[in-house]
Amino acid sequence: MGKLIILFLIVGSVVFYGHNAVAQSTLVIKDQESNRPMAGASIANLSDSKILISDEKGAISVTEAMTGEVLRISFVGYKTKDYILNHGKNVVYLEQDYQQLNDLTVVGYQNERKLSEIAGAYAVDSKLTMEGFNDESLVRSMNTLPGIRFEERSPASYRVSIRGSLLRAPYGVRNVKVYWNDIPYTDPAGNTPLNLMDLNNIGRIEIIKGPAGSIYGAGMGGVLNMYSEVGQASRLSANVGFTAGSYGYQKTVANVNTGNENHRFSMKYANQNGDGYRDHTNFSRETIQISGSFYTSEKRTLTAQVMYSDLYYQTPGGLTKAQYDENPRQARPGVAAKKSSIDQQIFLAGLVQEYAWNNKIKNTTSIYLTNGAKENPFINNYELEKLSTFGGRTSFQLNSQLGNIPAKFTMGAELNH
């Protein structure tokens, strides 16, 4: 009889605990771009106004009785989201709110602080700002930022000035260092083929103005950190767009995205061409980008980027005042006969690893290679350039204390060949 009672208690215990395990669901809050858990997110049950706070893993446990309830999830600097709780594990991604710029967490001086906490000349050109203009080029959205001057003397021929620091660069960007998805984009000679990048490859640009960018190298007029738009964690999504305008302008974009909690994969395609306002200003650019992010563990994230760009544009040259008064749309005499133009291609592949040993030590390491060619016939010269580069960079961030004062230390190295 005693054995039967003990057996009954054991079985009852298993059933009881098993019922409790089934009765619990989990809600995890993560950042849409980084896939990192968000500790301290506020979760409000709209039916009873009860508020819960996510733990250090971005998670809360909820009872089975709450299944089907509408939860309002919020976090400072992010868009508030209403979510219907499902049975089992729920993962909710929050998107940064670019209208609350002061609350945005940015890379900054490699310390990932809120924009309002950075003591330096810093600006952000968000996707929201870019979408306020047409998708022809970066010029209009970038020129809304104080201290930034973008010029485009012919279609896709960019020149950048940050706080007045502008070295003459006929077909490129100089004295400004550019990174794309944590990969060095400026070549070892200091030139940046920014015109090879389509707006479809850029979701956000963070700008450090003037000498404040010296953490990325000495003698910089500034730094542009460009980041592609991160795809949604959905099974499969796609979008196609077409734009047409005056002077033969046409642009086609097509994007495919898939992903889940463990990985993201996207493919972006853009084709843009036009005739231009002036004679001899035909323009054509085609870009393909393939991206994959793999969240192999809570500590490690691997991101692979591959991009190919093929650019061709004609250069009409400058006019004297007399020529301009005669016909402002004409090209400089002789450029058409010499077929003055830029014909340029680039292939870029890079791999980035983010690894956090704990909440105090973190490392970001990237390696990359590029292969490209440029042909440039002009009135008084002809240039043919073939350039292969490789390199990488690594940076360590250490969170520590100086007495009672929180402190962050950053050190790293970069090599480009």
Side-chain angles (χ1 to χ4, degrees):
M1 182 69 178
K3 292 182 179 179
L4 290 176
I5 293 174
I6 292 172
L7 180 62
F8 173 78
L9 292 175
I10 293 174
V11 172
S13 219
V14 171
V15 172
F16 176 77
Y17 285 114
H19 177 72
N20 274 355
V22 173
Q24 293 291 325
S25 294
T26 305
L27 177 66
V28 181
I29 315 301
K30 291 190 174 185
D31 180 280
Q32 169 66 39
E33 294 190 5
S34 65
N35 201 50
R36 295 172 184 166
M38 300 177 64
S42 174
I43 300 97
N45 188 342
L46 296 186
S47 63
D48 58 12
S49 300
K50 184 179 180 180
I51 297 178
L52 301 172
I53 304 297
S54 61
D55 61 20
E56 62 181 6
K57 294 185 178 181
I60 62 167
S61 294
V62 291
T63 62
E64 188 68 18
M66 292 177 63
T67 300
E69 298 281 357
V70 179
L71 305 180
R72 178 158 292 171
I73 305 167
S74 58
F75 195 90
V76 175
Y78 288 76
K79 294 180 180 179
T80 299
K81 187 172 186 176
D82 289 347
Y83 180 79
I84 299 176
L85 187 68
N86 298 313
H87 171 73
K89 184 177 182 180
N90 297 257
V91 181
V92 180
Y93 294 91
L94 294 187
E95 183 182 353
Q96 291 191 8
D97 189 350
Y98 289 103
Q99 291 181 324
Q100 301 181 28
L101 286 179
N102 287 337
D103 294 319
L104 280 181
T105 299
V106 294
V107 174
Y109 307 113
Q110 294 291 311
N111 55 12
E112 294 187 351
R113 292 185 179 275
K114 291 182 179 179
L115 186 60
S116 58
E117 297 175 354
I118 295 180
Y122 205 87
V124 175
D125 190 13
S126 67
K127 189 68 176 178
L128 183 67
T129 305
M130 295 178 189
E131 290 176 346
F133 303 91
N134 63 45
D135 59 354
E136 178 186 355
S137 73
L138 282 168
V139 172
R140 291 161 184 80
S141 65
M142 290 294 287
N143 281 338
T144 64
L145 304 175
I148 312 296
R149 175 65 180 172
F150 258 56
E151 297 178 359
E152 193 175 21
R153 73 173 194 171
S154 60
S157 181
Y158 291 126
R159 287 165 63 182
V160 181
S161 175
I162 299 179
R163 285 189 162 182
S165 175
L166 178 62
L167 297 181
R168 177 166 176 77
Y171 309 115
V173 178
R174 283 184 174 273
N175 205 36
V176 173
K177 205 158 189 180
V178 178
Y179 294 86
W180 180 61
N181 297 323
D182 292 320
I183 299 170
Y185 190 68
T186 300
D187 70 30
N191 297 303
T192 303
L194 196 57
N195 49 6
L196 289 166
M197 194 78 66
D198 189 88
L199 206 59
N200 195 45
N201 307 118
I202 303 171
R204 181 180 84 254
I205 301 179
E206 299 177 6
I207 304 102
I208 304 178
K209 305 175 189 177
S214 60
I215 190 172
Y216 293 90
M220 294 295 103
V223 176
L224 302 183
N225 281 316
M226 305 189 300
Y227 297 94
S228 297
E229 190 174 13
V230 178
Q232 303 290 320
S234 58
R235 291 185 177 179
L236 183 65
S237 62
N239 64 75
V240 178
F242 177 77
T243 308
S246 55
Y247 308 110
Y249 175 77
Q250 292 183 350
K251 183 171 184 178
T252 303
V253 296
N255 300 320
V256 178
N257 173 80
T258 185
N260 55 30
E261 190 179 356
N262 300 317
H263 77 274
R264 309 275 178 86
F265 177 83
S266 66
M267 180 179 295
K268 301 176 183 291
Y269 171 81
N271 187 308
Q272 180 177 332
N273 54 75
D275 299 329
Y277 172 75
R278 296 176 60 190
D279 297 336
H280 201 72
T281 53
N282 288 352
F283 162 79
S284 176
R285 179 177 57 212
E286 190 172 32
T287 62
I288 300 174
Q289 176 189 347
I290 301 174
S291 304
S293 296
F294 307 93
Y295 310 104
T296 58
S297 69
E298 292 184 358
K299 295 183 177 181
R300 177 183 283 111
T301 300
L302 289 174
T303 303
Q305 301 281 351
V306 176
M307 185 183 72
Y308 175 77
S309 180
D310 187 354
L311 170 69
Y312 172 82
Y313 64 95
Q314 296 173 329
T315 53
L319 299 176
T320 65
K321 187 175 185 307
Q323 292 169 337
Y324 176 83
D325 291 338
E326 177 188 356
N327 180 11
R329 298 185 62 178
Q330 68 174 311
R332 179 178 175 178
V335 296
K338 295 291 185 179
K339 298 182 180 179
S340 178
S341 60
I342 296 286
D343 190 359
Q344 190 171 6
Q345 298 82 34
I346 189 173
F347 171 82
L348 182 152
L351 182 65
V352 181
Q353 174 187 261
E354 291 186 9
Y355 190 86
W357 282 270
N358 48 49
N359 59 359
K360 291 187 176 181
I361 304 176
K362 175 188 172 184
N363 173 260
T364 302
T365 298
S366 62
I367 56 174
Y368 77 98
L369 62 88
T370 66
N371 190 36
K374 182 176 73 174
E375 183 179 12
N376 174 213
F378 194 57
I379 294 177
N380 52 5
N381 71 292
Y382 174 87
E383 178 188 7
L384 179 62
E385 176 183 281
K386 294 184 178 180
L387 182 66
S388 296
T389 70
F390 64 88
R393 68 188 303 267
T394 184
S395 64
F396 290 86
Q397 293 90 44
L398 172 64
N399 296 318
S400 183
Q401 293 278 136
L402 292 177
N404 295 325
I405 303 175
K408 281 196 174 186
F409 299 93
T410 301
M411 62 180 179
E414 180 175 327
L415 171 67
N416 303 294
H417 179 75

